Coordinates of all heavy atoms in Angstrom, one line a residue:
L1 N -6.0 -13.2 -6.0 CA -6.0 -12.8 -4.6 C -7.3 -12.3 -4.2 O -8.1 -11.8 -5.0 CB -4.9 -11.7 -4.6 CG -3.4 -11.9 -4.9 CD1 -2.6 -10.6 -4.9 CD2 -2.8 -13.2 -4.1
S2 N -7.5 -12.4 -2.9 CA -8.7 -11.7 -2.3 C -8.5 -10.2 -2.3 O -7.4 -9.6 -2.5 CB -8.8 -12.2 -0.9 OG -8.0 -11.8 -0.1
G3 N -9.5 -9.5 -2.0 CA -9.5 -7.9 -1.8 C -8.5 -7.6 -0.7 O -7.7 -6.7 -1.1
G4 N -8.5 -8.3 0.3 CA -7.6 -7.9 1.5 C -6.1 -8.2 1.1 O -5.2 -7.3 1.3
Q5 N -5.9 -9.2 0.3 CA -4.5 -9.5 -0.1 C -4.1 -8.6 -1.1 O -2.9 -8.1 -1.2 CB -4.4 -11.0 -0.7 CG -4.6 -12.0 0.3 CD -4.8 -13.4 -0.2 OE1 -5.3 -13.6 -1.3 NE2 -4.7 -14.4 0.7
R6 N -4.9 -8.1 -2.0 CA -4.6 -7.1 -3.0 C -4.2 -5.8 -2.3 O -3.3 -5.0 -2.7 CB -5.7 -6.8 -4.1 CG -6.0 -8.0 -4.9 CD -7.2 -7.7 -5.8 NE -7.7 -9.0 -6.5 CZ -8.8 -9.1 -7.3 NH1 -9.4 -7.9 -7.5 NH2 -9.1 -10.2 -7.8
Q7 N -5.0 -5.4 -1.3 CA -4.6 -4.2 -0.7 C -3.2 -4.2 0.1 O -2.5 -3.3 0.1 CB -5.8 -3.8 0.5 CG -5.6 -2.5 1.0 CD -5.5 -1.3 0.0 OE1 -4.6 -1.1 -0.5 NE2 -6.8 -1.0 -0.4
R8 N -2.8 -5.5 0.5 CA -1.5 -5.7 1.1 C -0.5 -5.5 0.1 O 0.5 -5.1 0.4 CB -1.5 -7.0 1.9 CG -2.1 -6.9 3.3 CD -2.7 -8.1 3.7 NE -1.9 -9.4 3.7 CZ -2.2 -10.6 3.8 NH1 -3.6 -10.8 3.9 NH2 -1.5 -11.6 3.9
V9 N -0.6 -6.1 -1.1 CA 0.2 -5.8 -2.2 C 0.4 -4.4 -2.5 O 1.6 -3.9 -2.6 CB -0.3 -6.7 -3.4 CG1 0.7 -6.3 -4.6 CG2 -0.3 -8.1 -3.3
A10 N -0.8 -3.6 -2.5 CA -0.7 -2.2 -2.7 C 0.2 -1.5 -1.7 O 1.0 -0.5 -1.9 CB -2.0 -1.5 -2.8
M11 N 0.1 -2.1 -0.4 CA 0.8 -1.5 0.7 C 2.3 -1.9 0.5 O 3.1 -1.1 0.7 CB 0.4 -2.1 2.1 CG -0.9 -1.5 2.6 SD -0.9 0.1 3.2 CE 0.3 -0.1 4.5
G12 N 2.6 -3.0 0.0 CA 3.9 -3.5 -0.2 C 4.6 -2.7 -1.2 O 5.8 -2.4 -1.1
R13 N 3.9 -2.3 -2.3 CA 4.5 -1.5 -3.3 C 4.9 -0.2 -2.8 O 5.9 0.3 -3.2 CB 3.4 -1.2 -4.5 CG 4.0 -0.6 -5.7 CD 2.8 -0.5 -6.7 NE 1.6 -0.1 -6.2 CZ 0.4 0.0 -6.8 NH1 0.5 -0.7 -7.9 NH2 -0.6 0.4 -6.2
A14 N 4.1 0.4 -1.9 CA 4.5 1.6 -1.2 C 5.8 1.5 -0.3 O 6.7 2.2 -0.2 CB 3.3 2.3 -0.4
I15 N 5.7 0.4 0.5 CA 6.9 0.1 1.6 C 8.2 0.0 0.8 O 9.1 0.6 1.3 CB 6.6 -1.2 2.3 CG1 5.3 -0.9 3.2 CG2 7.7 -1.7 3.1 CD1 4.8 -2.1 3.8
V16 N 8.3 -0.9 -0.3 CA 9.6 -0.9 -0.9 C 10.2 0.2 -1.4 O 11.5 0.3 -1.5 CB 9.4 -2.1 -2.1 CG1 9.0 -3.3 -1.6 CG2 8.6 -1.5 -3.3
R17 N 9.5 1.2 -1.6 CA 10.1 2.4 -2.1 C 10.8 3.3 -1.0 O 11.5 4.2 -1.3 CB 9.0 3.5 -2.9 CG 8.4 2.8 -4.0 CD 7.5 3.7 -4.6 NE 8.0 5.0 -4.9 CZ 7.1 6.1 -5.2 NH1 5.8 5.9 -5.2 NH2 7.8 7.3 -5.4
Q18 N 10.5 2.9 0.3 CA 11.1 3.6 1.4 C 11.0 5.0 1.3 O 11.9 5.8 1.4 CB 12.6 3.1 1.5 CG 12.8 1.6 1.8 CD 14.2 1.3 1.8 OE1 15.2 1.9 1.7 NE2 14.4 -0.1 2.3
P19 N 9.8 5.6 1.2 CA 9.5 7.0 0.9 C 9.6 7.7 2.4 O 9.7 7.1 3.5 CB 8.1 7.1 0.4 CG 7.4 6.0 1.1 CD 8.5 4.8 1.2
K20 N 9.5 9.1 2.3 CA 9.4 9.8 3.4 C 8.2 9.9 4.0 O 7.8 10.2 5.2 CB 10.0 11.4 3.1 CG 11.5 11.5 2.9 CD 11.9 12.8 2.6 CE 13.5 12.9 2.5 NZ 13.9 14.3 2.0
V21 N 7.1 9.9 3.2 CA 5.7 10.0 3.6 C 4.8 9.0 2.8 O 5.0 8.7 1.6 CB 5.1 11.4 3.3 CG1 3.6 11.6 3.7 CG2 6.0 12.6 4.0
F22 N 4.0 8.2 3.6 CA 2.9 7.5 3.0 C 1.6 8.2 2.9 O 1.2 9.0 3.8 CB 2.6 6.2 3.9 CG 3.5 5.2 3.9 CD1 3.8 4.5 5.0 CD2 4.2 4.7 2.7 CE1 4.8 3.4 5.0 CE2 5.3 3.7 2.8 CZ 5.5 3.0 3.8
L23 N 1.0 8.2 1.8 CA -0.4 8.8 1.5 C -1.3 7.7 1.4 O -1.2 6.9 0.3 CB -0.3 9.8 0.5 CG 0.7 10.8 0.4 CD1 0.7 11.8 -0.8 CD2 0.6 11.6 1.8
M24 N -2.4 7.7 2.0 CA -3.4 6.6 1.8 C -4.9 7.2 1.6 O -5.3 7.9 2.6 CB -3.4 5.6 3.1 CG -2.0 5.1 3.3 SD -2.2 3.7 4.6 CE -0.5 3.4 4.8
D25 N -5.5 7.0 0.5 CA -6.8 7.5 0.2 C -7.8 6.5 0.3 O -8.1 5.8 -0.7 CB -6.8 8.1 -1.2 CG -7.9 9.0 -1.5 OD1 -8.7 9.2 -0.7 OD2 -8.1 9.5 -2.6
E26 N -8.5 6.4 1.4 CA -9.6 5.5 1.6 C -9.2 4.1 1.1 O -9.9 3.4 0.4 CB -10.9 5.9 1.0 CG -11.3 7.4 1.4 CD -12.8 7.6 1.4 OE1 -13.6 6.7 1.7 OE2 -13.2 8.7 1.1
P27 N -8.2 3.5 1.6 CA -7.6 2.2 1.2 C -8.4 1.1 1.6 O -8.3 0.0 0.9 CB -6.3 2.0 1.7 CG -6.3 2.9 3.0 CD -7.2 4.1 2.8
L28 N -9.4 1.2 2.5 CA -10.2 0.1 3.0 C -11.7 0.0 2.5 O -12.4 -0.9 2.8 CB -10.2 0.0 4.5 CG -8.9 0.0 5.1 CD1 -9.0 -0.2 6.8 CD2 -7.9 -1.1 4.7

């Protein structure tokens, strides 16, 4: 995967958990 695709996978991993809060530490 490209860097952008990997970052979207990391986002997907957070989304599937359906958390109350997303925390993002300089993801870009």
